[in-house]
Amino acid sequence: MVFAFLPTTVMLICSFLAMGVSVFLISTRDAFYADIGAGVMFMAAFGALLTVKSSHKLYISSMGVLHEDFDKWYRKQQKIAAKSLAAKKLFVLSNIINGALAYEKLDEASESIERFGRHISKKGHPYYNYIYLDKLLSLMKKKHDLSDSKELLSQMYEMLNSKYFPDGNIKTSFISHFEHTRMAVEFYKRTPEMLRTTDRHIAEQFNVASKLYLSVIVKSSPQVSYPLLACYYDIGLSYAVMGNTENASQYFEYISSSKRNYPLVSRVSTYLSTGDIFILMQTMP
């Protein structure tokens, strides 16, 4: 990601040149020049470390454009992804997909998912495969096409239970994410009437799974984010279909007051003014 920004590219090149000079000074075997070389080496190493940290800050800053101008943000992120390597490239592509899906730019999301898939096919690591499959399913959810959801969920479960999948807190959070995703598919396959009557247990289970996943999101990113709002959306909707409008309104009011310009927020605002629950069911968050 360092080479994605001109200032950090220049800083890194200067650091490498300084390292070269330090090696030359040390190789003279003169005590005076060797001491100078050691000092230059230390400064070069510090400069390289500072360059990496600076590139991360510049990347975070570039992400802020998402809420101001999607097209400008998308073009910039494409350039950053092209100049990033290995895991950093996958990280950037993953965020591009997330941003495109949040704003329901499905063509851009589809293109980035395809690029992500081409890169992870070389790695074959269960962690990256899980993320790729989840992005595919998220795209299908936005299109409200759940025809292949069972197969994708089965593959995600297989990746999650691979012995090569990371353990600890990472796995715990992904398990919570998987359960939430699995229940979301079951929930959105049904009509509000079904969820209110014969399949009410699905709405109840989805409500619980969404709350559990919400706790994971809050721990990892307590600020207002799309995953947070999407989870509030799911919890509010599950309450709404069960007839608990008081609890549903608490979550929906939070979303509508978030001042984000996601399509999800617009749908919630429309629902609050019309009471038409089908508006919330037409596109999955």
Side-chain angles (χ1 to χ4, degrees):
M1 195 182 294
V2 170
F3 295 107
F5 307 98
L6 181 59
T8 51
T9 300
V10 173
M11 286 173 64
L12 187 62
I13 291 173
C14 290
S15 296
F16 284 155
L17 290 173
M19 285 182 185
V21 171
S22 69
V23 170
F24 171 76
L25 291 173
I26 293 171
S27 67
T28 62
R29 304 193 177 215
D30 182 284
F32 176 73
Y33 287 119
D35 288 342
I36 295 176
V40 173
M41 177 67 80
F42 173 79
M43 288 188 291
F46 178 78
L49 179 62
L50 183 63
T51 297
V52 174
K53 289 187 175 182
S54 297
S55 68
H56 181 71
K57 287 184 178 179
L58 288 171
Y59 173 70
I60 296 300
S61 177
S62 74
M63 287 294 292
V65 180
L66 173 62
H67 306 302
E68 301 167 8
D69 186 331
F70 176 86
D71 292 332
K72 181 180 178 181
W73 171 85
Y74 182 74
R75 289 192 298 270
K76 179 64 175 178
Q77 298 307 310
Q78 291 283 14
K79 292 178 181 178
I80 294 174
K83 295 180 180 179
S84 299
L85 303 173
K88 289 294 185 182
K89 181 184 287 289
L90 294 177
F91 174 71
V92 175
L93 284 173
S94 178
N95 283 336
I96 292 174
I97 296 166
N98 292 341
L101 289 173
Y103 281 93
E104 297 174 11
K105 304 287 187 177
L106 303 189
D107 289 341
E108 289 85 346
S110 181
E111 179 186 350
S112 298
I113 290 171
E114 185 178 341
R115 287 181 63 191
F116 190 97
R118 288 199 301 268
H119 287 288
I120 63 106
S121 63
K122 300 173 184 177
K123 292 179 174 293
H125 194 283
Y127 174 80
Y128 291 111
N129 279 327
Y130 180 96
I131 293 174
Y132 170 65
L133 293 166
D134 176 56
K135 303 303 182 193
L136 277 178
L137 183 54
S138 295
L139 180 62
M140 290 174 56
K141 285 159 59 179
K142 286 295 183 184
K143 294 179 178 179
H144 216 90
D145 174 14
L146 301 177
S147 56
D148 293 328
S149 59
K150 185 176 181 180
E151 176 61 26
L152 286 173
L153 284 168
S154 176
Q155 293 179 47
M156 288 168 65
Y157 183 79
E158 182 181 345
M159 294 300 107
L160 194 57
N161 285 280
S162 167
K163 63 180 180 180
Y164 299 109
F165 197 92
D167 288 323
N169 291 335
I170 292 178
K171 187 161 188 174
T172 299
S173 64
F174 271 71
I175 289 173
S176 179
H177 169 269
F178 177 81
E179 286 302 315
H180 173 256
T181 302
R182 184 180 67 83
M183 289 308 306
V185 168
E186 294 301 320
F187 180 89
Y188 283 97
K189 279 181 178 179
R190 292 160 169 80
T191 65
E193 181 60 29
M194 293 167 66
L195 292 165
R196 187 163 41 248
T197 55
T198 56
D199 292 331
R200 185 184 178 88
H201 64 287
I202 297 294
E204 293 171 344
Q205 291 171 20
F206 183 47
N207 182 276
V208 172
S210 298
K211 287 179 178 177
L212 289 174
Y213 185 50
L214 176 63
S215 66
V216 172
I217 294 172
V218 171
K219 285 180 182 178
S220 61
S221 180
Q223 69 270 24
V224 176
S225 62
Y226 185 80
L228 181 74
L229 295 179
C231 221
Y232 268 56
Y233 186 102
D234 288 334
I235 296 170
L237 182 54
S238 60
Y239 272 129
V241 297
M242 291 188 291
N244 192 336
T245 54
E246 184 176 348
N247 279 342
S249 294
Q250 294 178 12
Y251 289 93
F252 290 146
E253 291 290 350
Y254 179 89
I255 295 171
S256 64
S257 65
S258 66
K259 303 194 186 308
R260 295 294 192 192
N261 57 344
Y262 300 124
L264 168 152
V265 176
S266 177
R267 285 196 293 275
V268 167
S269 298
T270 303
Y271 165 75
L272 289 174
S273 62
T274 65
D276 185 0
I277 200 168
F278 287 97
I279 291 171
L280 301 178
M281 299 287 289
Q282 66 185 9
T283 305
M284 298 172 68

